[in-house]
Amino acid sequence: MRLGKVSGISFDLDDTLWPFEVVVERAEATLHAWLLENAPKTASVLPAPQALAQLRAEYERSRPDLAGDFRALRIGSISLALELAKEDVTLADLAYDVFYSARHQVEFFEDVMPALHWLSARFPLVAVTNGNADLRLTGGGEFFRAALSASSVGVAKPEAEIFHAAARAVEVAPAEMLHVGDDYHLDVLGALDAGFQAAWLVRRNRLEIARVEKNTREPHLTIRDLSMLCEALGGPGSLS
């Protein structure tokens, strides 16, 4: 696909700028260790760090009213673990702070920082996430004019309004905005439906590219890293 005029770029965060699964696993391991030290009876409820993810998933299914409220879901599941273990439930907020801090210890994909440096010198950048990542804590915030989340806007991707809010944040018409993300449904189709251009970032699963592109007529750019994005926008093929 050949891009039209691009005057601003929005970026997804988790699994676009850094791998998300490893971050959450590490954060849950940190939280688990903290709980065992400060509420030792939780060992009976949470025999391993993986049990935290299972308990959170179960809690989320029981509380559909909290969908998208990651803080409430995490605190709720921690409170449940403390209650089941007959530990002090008031520790939940402190435990969440431990998790939240560890959740922001991300490792950017190696192509990200050089690309953001090049792109931010030429385009206003805005982050658009359904998650709770905070660029002030992860680092990299200096490259972005604004950062929007589903909780701050009140709607989540793929709804058009969150994309339109991103366009307004950098004062660019939707047709001249390019959204970059790893999720085909949330990022690519959501952006296209909002009148944006879209770049689908697929770092690993090439079979998924073939499957989607065989069954879609939606025009979008497909890239395997952000160096390819820079090249498509007139930059060098390699920024390393």
Side-chain angles (χ1 to χ4, degrees):
M1 172 198 170
R2 194 176 189 87
L3 293 172
K5 182 180 179 182
V6 174
S7 300
I9 305 174
S10 57
F11 278 93
D12 174 53
L13 296 179
D14 292 321
D15 282 329
T16 294
L17 301 189
W18 54 74
F20 181 57
E21 185 175 345
V22 66
V23 170
V24 173
E25 288 178 354
R26 188 165 56 231
E28 287 179 336
T30 300
L31 170 59
H32 186 257
W34 188 92
L35 285 169
L36 293 189
E37 180 179 352
N38 294 276
K41 287 185 286 187
T42 55
S44 63
V45 179
L46 304 169
Q50 293 81 357
L52 282 162
Q54 181 179 350
L55 188 63
R56 186 198 176 285
E58 292 172 357
Y59 186 77
E60 184 173 11
R61 286 192 292 271
S62 73
R63 293 296 305 270
D65 56 307
L66 296 179
D69 190 337
F70 300 101
R71 183 179 187 277
L73 289 169
R74 182 64 68 173
I75 288 179
S77 64
I78 294 170
S79 297
L80 178 58
L82 291 166
E83 181 180 353
L84 291 172
K86 295 182 170 51
E87 287 280 10
D88 183 1
V89 177
T90 63
L91 290 172
D93 285 341
L94 285 174
Y96 177 77
D97 290 343
V98 169
F99 172 83
Y100 190 68
S101 176
R103 181 259 187 273
H104 285 90
Q105 303 304 306
V106 304
E107 296 176 7
F108 289 87
F109 292 112
E110 63 179 359
D111 56 287
V112 168
M113 286 301 184
L116 291 180
H117 187 274
W118 188 88
L119 291 165
S120 64
R122 293 159 177 82
F123 305 95
L125 308 183
V126 54
V128 181
T129 179
N130 283 359
N132 61 351
D134 187 333
L135 287 168
R136 294 170 298 182
L137 300 176
T138 61
E142 67 272 19
F143 299 114
F144 291 84
R145 299 275 186 91
L148 306 179
S149 67
S151 60
S152 68
V153 177
V155 293
K157 296 179 295 182
E159 296 299 321
E161 177 52 31
I162 193 168
F163 292 100
H164 292 162
R168 290 194 298 270
V170 292
E171 300 181 324
V172 172
E176 295 182 14
M177 286 291 296
L178 172 66
H179 181 70
V180 184
D182 70 289
D183 189 296
Y184 184 77
H185 175 66
L186 299 180
D187 291 306
V188 176
L189 295 185
L192 293 171
D193 287 345
F196 279 38
Q197 299 174 71
W200 186 28
L201 178 58
V202 187
R203 293 183 180 276
R204 293 179 294 273
N205 194 346
R206 311 304 292 177
L207 291 176
E208 177 69 2
I209 294 177
R211 185 188 69 78
V212 168
E213 293 190 340
K214 180 180 179 181
N215 295 289
T216 183
R217 297 177 182 176
E218 299 288 357
H220 62 272
L221 180 68
T222 301
I223 55 177
R224 65 176 177 270
D225 58 37
L226 296 189
S227 291
M228 288 184 66
L229 176 65
C230 295
E231 187 174 10
L233 291 168
S238 174
L239 297 174
S240 59

